[in-house]
Amino acid sequence: MHISKLFRKKPLEAYREDIKTSQLNRTLGKWELTAISVGAVIGGGIFVLTGVAANQYAGPALALSFVLAGTGCLFAAFCYAEFASILPVSGSAYAYSYGTIGEFFAWFIGWNLILEYMMGATTVAVSWSTYFSKLLKLAGIPNLPAWLLNDPFTAREAALKAGTVPPLFSLNLPAALIVWVVTYILVRGIKESARTNNLIVSLKVAAVLFVVIAGVAYINTDNWQPFIPAKVVDSSGASHYGLSGVLTAAGIVFFAFIGFDAVSTQSQEAVNPTKDIPFAIIFSLIVCTTLYILVSLVLTGMTKYTDLDLGAPVASAFSSVGLAWASLLITIAAVIGLVSVMLVMLLSQTRIFLNMARDGLLPPKLFAAIHPNFKTPWKSTVLVGAIASLVAAVTPIEKATKMTSIGTLLAFAMICAAVLVLRKKQPDLHRPYKVKYLPLVAGLGLGFNILLMFSLDASTWVRLLVWSVAGIIIYFVYSVKHSNLNNK
C-alpha cells in the first residue's frame, strides 16, 4: 500500500453529491435541531456527572470545572459551526476531517467517536437505572434484587464494603432494557424521535430551572468551604481535589457537552442546515453551560460534596434537606429526561456509521442499509443498541464516563486543527458561517482539549490506546481496501 493513500481526501464535490442522493428525510427545523442539542447536553452532566465529579475530584469547585470544560467546548463549537455550514452532511468530525486532513485521520476520528456516543449512551443508561431504582423506592414499589441493579464490579465493591459475600452473578438489567426502548424509537424514524425529544427536553429544562430556583433557598455556604478542597492521594496512588482535581473533573464532565457535536450529525435531515446547524450548536452550548454552572453551585451548597450520591446526585441533594416531594419530582424528570440523552447519542452514532459505510470504510450492507418504510439506518441502529445494552449491563459508570470524555476531547482537538488546515488550503471556499480570529480560537480550542485529555488518569489512556490500535488494525485490514477513493 502506498503511503499517499493515508492522506487522500474526499472531494467536497462528493459531499454535495451525497446530499443530493441522500435517502434521509429533511424534517428538522432550527428549534428541533436546538432541542436535539439541548436534549443531549441537559441530563448527562446535571443528572449524571455532578455526583462523581464533585464527590471524588473537585468538591464545590465543580463550578470551575464546568467553566473550564465549557470554555474548551466553546472554542471547538465555533470550529464545528464553520465546518457544518461548509459541509451540511451527517458525519460530524469524521466527515469534516475526511475532506481536509485525509482518510486515515478521518477513520481514526470516526472510530473514536464511537467512544463519544456509544459509551456516552452507556453512561447515561447506567445513571437512568439508578434514578429508576430510586423512583421505585420513593413510590413504595418493591425493587429488583441488588444483583439485577448493578454491574459485576460495582456489585462486588458494594458487597465488600458492606462486609458481605459478593454475588456470583450480577448485571444492570434496567440499564440494558432502556437502551432497547430507545433503539426501538430510533428504528421507527427521525421525525417521531424528534417529536419525542421535544417533549422530553421541555420537561428537562423545567426540571433544571426548578432545581436552581427551589434549591437556592436551601444553600448552606458552609458546604462551600473550602471551595477547592486540599489535594488528597488515596491508597492506590490516585489524587483527588486540589487544582489537579478541578482539572480532572473538567475532563470528566466534558462528556456532558457533546450535545452540540451530536446535532452536527443531523445535517442531512435538517431543512436549512447551513444556517440552522451553526445556530443550534452555539445557542445550545451557551444556554447549557450557564445552567450547568448554576446547578453545580446549588447542589454543592445544599449538600456537602462528600455526601453527594454518585448515581443520582440531584435527587439525593433534595432528599438531604428534607424535600422528599421535590426529590420525587426530580427523579421522575430524570427518568424521563435521560431517555432523550440516550436517544440523541445512539442516533448520532448510527449517522457516523452511515457516512463511513457510504465512503466504503465499513460494510455498507450492514451500516448503510436504509429501512424502506421508516427511512432510517435500521440495521446499524439495532447493532449499536445491542452493543450499548450489553456494555451498560456490565460497566461501572465512572469508567464509561472517562472513556466517553477522552474520545470526545480527541475528536474536538482534531476538528480545531482541521478547520485551520481547510482555511489555509482553501481560503476562497464559500463559508456561510465564518469564525473570526480563527487562528486564536482554534489554537485555544486545541490547547484546552489536549490539556483536559492529559488530566485523565493513566488507565483511561491505556484503554484509549487499546481501542485505537484495534481501530487501526480494522482500517488496514478492511477499510483502506474498500474505500470509494480507490476508484477515483
Side-chain angles (χ1 to χ4, degrees), residues 171-210:
L171 61 83
N172 195 330
L173 181 61
L177 293 179
I178 192 59
V179 172
W180 279 111
V181 172
V182 173
T183 300
Y184 171 78
I185 295 173
L186 290 175
V187 169
R188 292 289 301 178
I190 180 64
K191 188 64 179 180
E192 288 72 17
S193 302
R195 288 172 176 168
T196 302
N197 186 65
N198 289 343
L199 293 174
I200 297 175
V201 167
S202 299
L203 173 65
K204 285 198 298 183
V205 172
V208 170
L209 292 175
F210 172 79

Side-chain angles (χ1 to χ4, degrees), residues 131 134-140 210 314-316 318-319 323-335:
Y131 275 101
K134 188 176 184 66
L135 178 61
L136 293 181
K137 183 178 180 180
L138 291 172
F210 172 79
V314 182
S316 69
F318 278 82
S319 295
L323 297 179
W325 62 273
S327 179
L328 176 61
L329 290 178
I330 292 168
T331 302
I332 293 173
V335 167

Side-chain angles (χ1 to χ4, degrees), residues 78-147:
F78 284 122
C79 297
Y80 262 96
E82 178 167 322
F83 260 131
S85 70
I86 298 171
L87 298 175
V89 296
S90 58
S92 185
Y94 159 75
Y96 307 152
S97 298
Y98 207 172
T100 57
I101 299 178
E103 184 175 277
F104 175 75
F105 294 96
W107 164 267
F108 188 72
I109 286 181
W111 182 250
N112 281 286
L113 282 175
I114 299 174
L115 292 180
E116 177 178 339
Y117 293 124
M118 191 180 298
M119 293 302 293
T122 296
T123 301
V124 176
V126 174
S127 183
W128 183 91
S129 175
T130 303
Y131 275 101
F132 180 70
S133 177
K134 188 176 184 66
L135 178 61
L136 293 181
K137 183 178 180 180
L138 291 172
I141 300 174
N143 219 323
L144 294 172
W147 59 274

Side-chain angles (χ1 to χ4, degrees), residues 26-30 32-33 266-273 276:
R26 288 195 177 276
T27 59
L28 303 178
K30 176 194 298 185
E32 286 176 316
L33 290 166
Q266 315 306 314
S267 293
Q268 284 183 228
E269 290 147 285
V271 176
N272 189 3
D276 294 346

